[in-house]
Amino acid sequence: MGATTGSTEVQLREQVVRLGRAMWERGLVSANDGNVSVRLPDGNVLCTPTGVSKGFMTPEMLPVVALDGTPLRGELRPSSEVLMHLRAYLEDPAVGAVVHAHPLHATAFAIKGEPLTGLMMPESVVAMPEVPLAPYATPSTSQVPDSIAPFVRSHTGCLLEHHGALTWGPDLMTAYLAMERLEYTARITVLARQIDGERQLSPERVAEVRRRFGIPA
Ligand code: 13P
C-alpha cells in the first residue's frame, strides 16, 4: 500500500482539503470540477464529494467508500468519478492517492486527442517522459475506469480524451505534484509551439540524462 500509510484519517482529511484548495488556486480546476481520493489506513478510500468546489471543502465533508464503490460513511455523495479512482487502486496496490483535474492546457491536448510525448527538458525525461491519452469514455460510466486501467502500472498520469487529466502516486502530495507537472508540460509545449520553438532533446542527450539518473531506456 502507498506511503499514506502512517497518516491518520484526520490528517488525510486535512490534506485532501489543502490540496483541493491548491488545485483551485492554481487553476487546475474551475467551478466544481475535479476530484481527489486517498487510501485510508483501513484500506477504504476517502474521496471528495460530488458537485462541490474543491477550493472550499471542509474535512468533515469527505465521504468514505469501500474499494468496490459501496458508500460507507459521510452525509454527502461520493464523487461521480469515484469508480475511476478505485480502478487505479485496484490495478496497483502501490497507488495511495489519485487526483483528477481539468487543467486548461492539458485539457486542450485531451480535446485535440494528442498525448504529451515530447522530451524537451531533462525534467521530463526524469519525472514524466510521456503522458498517454486514455480514449474517450462517458463520465461516471464503467468505460472510464476501463480507459485508464492500462496506464496505471506504467505511468504516473494520463489525459482523458475530451475531458481532462488524471494522476496518481503513492501518496497525496506525489499525486498532486504529478498533476502540476502534467499541466506544466502541456503549457510549455503550447508556448514553445507559439514561438515556433518546439525542439526535442537529442537522443544522445536523453540517453545521457537517463544514464545519470539511473532510468532504464
Ligand atoms: P464530481 O463533482 O462528481 O467529482 O465531478 C467533477 C468532475 O470533474 C467530473 O469529471
Side-chain angles (χ1 to χ4, degrees):
M1 203 174 286
T4 40
T5 312
S7 300
T8 65
E9 179 171 330
V10 170
Q11 290 168 327
L12 293 172
R13 284 179 180 272
E14 284 166 359
Q15 209 182 350
V16 169
V17 168
R18 273 202 306 277
L19 293 182
R21 181 80 187 189
M23 289 210 299
W24 180 80
E25 282 177 345
R26 289 186 69 94
L28 299 173
V29 289
S30 301
N32 293 341
D33 293 349
N35 24 74
V36 178
S37 71
V38 61
R39 252 194 241 261
L40 290 171
D42 65 6
N44 293 317
V45 171
L46 181 70
C47 67
T48 49
T50 187
V52 305
S53 168
K54 276 67 206 180
F56 298 92
M57 298 183 297
T58 53
E60 66 281 1
M61 286 168 73
L62 309 181
V64 175
V65 299
L67 269 182
D68 65 2
T70 308
L72 298 176
R73 283 189 276 135
E75 285 176 18
L76 300 180
R77 274 195 301 132
S79 166
S80 58
E81 296 291 8
V82 75
L83 293 179
M84 168 172 72
H85 292 240
L86 297 176
R87 186 61 172 269
Y89 299 116
L90 291 168
E91 287 292 322
D92 187 351
V95 172
V98 180
V99 170
H100 167 51
H102 298 178
L104 276 178
H105 301 83
T107 304
F109 278 90
I111 291 168
K112 186 181 175 199
E114 180 182 337
L116 299 168
T117 52
L119 292 176
M120 287 180 268
M121 300 166 65
E123 285 78 4
S124 312
V125 178
V126 175
M128 194 172 270
E130 183 189 41
V131 182
L133 177 75
Y136 179 75
T138 308
S140 84
T141 66
S142 62
Q143 300 161 354
V144 181
D146 289 348
S147 76
I148 63 113
F151 306 116
V152 174
R153 280 183 177 266
S154 50
H155 295 78
T156 55
C158 65
L159 298 176
L160 307 169
E161 190 173 10
H162 286 289
H163 183 174
L166 187 73
T167 54
W168 50 87
D171 55 74
L172 271 170
M173 187 52 92
T174 307
Y176 166 77
L177 290 177
M179 186 59 76
E180 276 195 7
R181 181 166 300 285
L182 188 156
E183 170 60 359
Y184 177 81
T185 305
R187 187 164 183 214
I188 202 70
T189 304
V190 169
L191 288 174
R193 284 181 187 177
Q194 274 174 2
I195 59 167
D196 213 7
E198 187 173 6
R199 213 154 58 98
Q200 306 298 318
L201 285 167
S202 68
E204 294 75 25
R205 286 179 173 166
V206 170
E208 194 184 334
V209 171
R210 285 192 175 129
R211 258 198 315 278
R212 192 155 267 278
F213 288 85
I215 300 165

